[in-house]
Amino acid sequence: MVKRATVWEISLGAVLLVIGCACGFALAKEKLVLKYLPVDHGIEIVSQDNTSNPIHLYETRDPAIADIIEKVNTCTDCRTLDMANASQCPDCCLYQNYTLVHCQDSSDAACPKPGTNPNQRPFDTSCIDCTNTFTRDCGSCPEPCAKYPETITHCQRRGCPESTRPNDSSCKPDPLNPSNWYCQTPNIPPVKPCSSSMIQNCTAYTSPHAAYTITPEFNNAVCQPLSMTAPCYRYAPKPPFQDCVQDCVQQADHWEDVYYQYNRGMLGDGVCGEYGNCTSGFTDNCNAGKCQEKINLKCFSDYTIAQCAVYEKKLREYLLGIDSKVFREISPEFKYKFVARNGERYMAGWQVLCDVVKPAKSDPDKEKFNFYTMIKLFKVDNAGAETLAYESIAHQKSLGSTFYINAQTGFSQVEQKLIPGQQYVARLYYYLPWDGATLLEVKVSVLQMILYRTKN
């Protein structure tokens, strides 16, 4: 019968339990019983020291999960390349079909532009001046070169003309119908349209009467609010002219929007280098090797952020509902046998001291892989045959470095239907998920299992 402990003895037992969890006991396949605990408590420990002859565990080659692990690992590579200061490869380095381009000004032949003739714009500069629309002078440091996001300025619409307004600054829009205009003099032509072979051409509307219906207005109540004296003149754009200007403006803006996106190195959503630094701008400042790596990994097609979310969800679902049949026993000789007692509950803890052999310490991919462990509890019959009675949830640790596992689980007569007087054995299992290519190896030097028994 276990002696009832004093307060000091109980504290000593607790300290020994902590020491056992943190350091392990150097007992090879033996049982250690901590005495001087309360009569309704007990702690028993088994430990196996394999320091001189470590146990080597290898990847669990489970084809069901290898493909999804490989996909998630590739997603991690793609996201790493997207991190600031990691790749220096923002979108400006890539064209829509993922071809490398330069980040230079419009004279760079490697900067693709929309249209069959990359140097042709809807309206030529002899008609309207848009030479500065797609160029800029970054200046010297520390003035930032990359302004994100930088607003596009539509210029080509000036050749349409930009609106149906007559070409006189004194003309005012009708407050009740802004598409109509009031002017002080008759026969004012529209702004001179430019000729274009690429988009809607409005050169047919150059005379006042081709573009407008012009009528005099003698009502002072209409003219005076527009700061005019009666009579004034009402200019109503004719529907063909109004439609022509609207279509022309839309097409010119669309051309510039496409041009803007195709030439991100000049005015797009991102320029080379980190946004706002002094190395950004029009020079070929991108890391072509990193760009090519993103292309080779298919980061822009198979491993986008949206697609990776699907892969990661599948992996989480697999690991949460993982089939314990894929787990392997770490050491068949390492086990803990006990007989269930009436009214007792049990807390089992397992400790494993490991050293990662593969991937190597210098391998940047080592953090991608985890080492899973769990306890399985078996009922033992009179012939020694074992039947699964309970299994814990899986505990995981990254293979990033040498690690020490310290995990716990609980079972009892109520939840797990343990039978008083029945013999049980607890065994320790592991799982090393495989990606189909990477070799994994873990070296185990110390195993330990602690059973804490308490009366209900």
Side-chain angles (χ1 to χ4, degrees):
M1 183 174 180
V2 179
K3 177 183 174 183
R4 183 179 297 274
T6 64
V7 173
W8 182 86
E9 289 168 335
I10 294 173
S11 300
L12 176 60
V15 171
L16 289 174
L17 175 59
V18 172
I19 294 172
C21 292
C23 304
F25 289 86
L27 298 177
K29 294 176 284 185
E30 293 183 16
K31 181 184 291 186
L32 173 64
V33 179
L34 296 182
K35 300 180 180 181
Y36 307 111
L37 289 173
V39 292
D40 55 352
H41 292 265
I43 295 177
E44 297 175 355
I45 304 172
V46 290
S47 182
Q48 179 175 312
D49 191 338
N50 296 91
T51 304
S52 60
N53 186 24
I55 302 169
H56 289 260
L57 308 176
Y58 302 92
E59 68 272 2
T60 310
R61 302 205 169 197
D62 178 12
I65 195 59
D67 179 63
I68 193 64
I69 291 175
E70 187 276 332
K71 283 183 167 62
V72 171
N73 286 345
T74 303
C75 287
T76 301
D77 291 336
C78 288
R79 300 295 77 79
T80 300
L81 289 169
D82 288 338
M83 291 170 59
N85 298 320
S87 66
Q88 295 186 14
C89 184
D91 292 343
C92 70
C93 298
L94 304 165
Y95 184 47
Q96 278 190 335
N97 62 355
Y98 318 129
T99 302
L100 290 174
V101 300
H102 296 171
C103 300
Q104 297 183 351
D105 61 19
S106 57
S107 65
D108 182 6
C111 266
K113 302 173 184 64
T116 54
N117 184 348
N119 294 316
Q120 182 181 0
R121 296 181 181 182
F123 300 112
D124 140 340
T125 54
S126 63
C127 180
I128 53 170
D129 185 7
C130 288
T131 53
N132 294 322
T133 306
F134 298 104
T135 60
R136 67 180 171 196
D137 181 8
C138 290
S140 58
C141 292
E143 187 70 22
C145 181
K147 300 179 180 68
Y148 176 79
E150 186 165 341
T151 305
I152 184 172
T153 302
H154 290 112
C155 175
Q156 289 288 310
R157 57 165 57 192
R158 298 175 190 170
C160 291
E162 193 169 1
S163 77
T164 58
R165 180 175 182 165
N167 193 17
D168 188 319
S169 59
S170 66
C171 296
K172 308 293 182 182
D174 184 345
L176 301 179
N177 186 356
S179 64
N180 292 334
W181 302 86
Y182 284 93
C183 305
Q184 290 181 322
T185 58
N187 299 322
I188 302 173
V191 175
K192 182 181 179 181
C194 298
S195 175
S196 175
S197 60
M198 295 175 61
I199 65 172
Q200 174 71 55
N201 194 322
C202 296
T203 52
Y205 305 97
T206 56
S207 69
H209 296 286
Y212 307 105
T213 299
I214 304 172
T215 56
E217 178 59 66
F218 297 95
N219 187 345
N220 287 337
V222 172
C223 296
Q224 287 181 352
L226 299 169
S227 300
M228 298 177 183
T229 57
C232 59
Y233 296 86
R234 179 176 176 269
Y235 285 70
K238 293 182 177 179
F241 173 58
Q242 193 166 11
D243 291 345
C244 183
V245 170
Q246 181 177 331
D247 292 344
C248 181
V249 167
Q250 288 179 348
Q251 292 173 27
D253 287 353
H254 175 71
W255 184 92
E256 287 183 318
D257 290 339
V258 174
Y259 190 101
Y260 178 95
Q261 293 298 324
Y262 279 29
N263 292 275
R264 296 183 178 192
M266 292 182 292
L267 286 174
D269 294 339
V271 293
C272 288
E274 191 64 14
Y275 297 133
N277 69 14
C278 296
T279 60
S280 300
F282 305 149
T283 58
D284 190 0
N285 178 45
C286 299
N287 186 326
K290 293 295 183 182
C291 290
Q292 191 61 52
E293 189 175 349
K294 292 175 76 173
I295 295 168
N296 294 342
L297 287 173
K298 299 183 178 180
C299 297
F300 306 97
S301 55
D302 298 358
Y303 299 100
T304 61
I305 293 176
Q307 187 59 54
C308 283
V310 176
Y311 299 146
E312 289 158 2
K313 181 174 182 289
K314 287 182 179 179
L315 181 59
R316 285 195 303 271
E317 290 174 347
Y318 178 88
L319 294 175
L320 287 173
I322 193 169
D323 188 345
S324 63
K325 293 178 182 178
V326 301
F327 280 74
R328 300 173 181 175
E329 195 166 6
I330 293 179
S331 173
E333 296 81 15
F334 180 71
K335 56 191 174 184
Y336 176 75
K337 286 186 177 181
F338 70 98
V339 176
R341 299 171 187 168
N342 190 34
E344 279 192 340
R345 300 175 66 89
Y346 306 92
M347 178 66 72
W350 66 98
Q351 289 76 42
V352 185
L353 181 60
C354 303
D355 186 41
V356 180
V357 180
K358 296 177 183 177
K361 292 181 180 179
S362 59
D363 192 332
D365 291 337
K366 62 182 182 297
E367 296 285 353
K368 297 179 182 177
F369 300 93
N370 291 326
F371 180 68
Y372 295 82
T373 56
M374 71 184 310
I375 277 183
K376 292 187 182 184
L377 185 66
F378 298 89
K379 183 171 69 173
V380 183
D381 64 18
N382 294 333
E386 299 178 4
T387 305
L388 182 65
Y390 167 74
E391 56 190 31
S392 72
I393 61 172
H395 177 275
Q396 72 179 52
K397 276 278 191 177
S398 169
L399 297 188
S401 63
T402 298
F403 55 84
Y404 185 79
I405 292 173
N406 185 358
Q408 296 82 34
T409 188
F411 41 87
S412 70
Q413 295 175 35
V414 178
E415 288 86 357
Q416 286 72 38
K417 310 299 182 185
L418 268 62
I419 303 170
Q422 174 67 53
Q423 186 180 58
Y424 293 89
V425 60
R427 297 181 180 275
L428 192 54
Y429 290 77
Y430 83 95
Y431 177 54
L432 271 173
W434 186 51
D435 66 355
T438 308
L439 298 179
L440 306 176
E441 183 179 352
V442 170
K443 184 171 62 176
V444 177
S445 54
V446 176
L447 296 170
Q448 187 178 87
M449 202 180 302
I450 301 175
L451 188 70
Y452 181 77
R453 314 169 71 125
T454 179
K455 286 279 189 180
N456 289 335

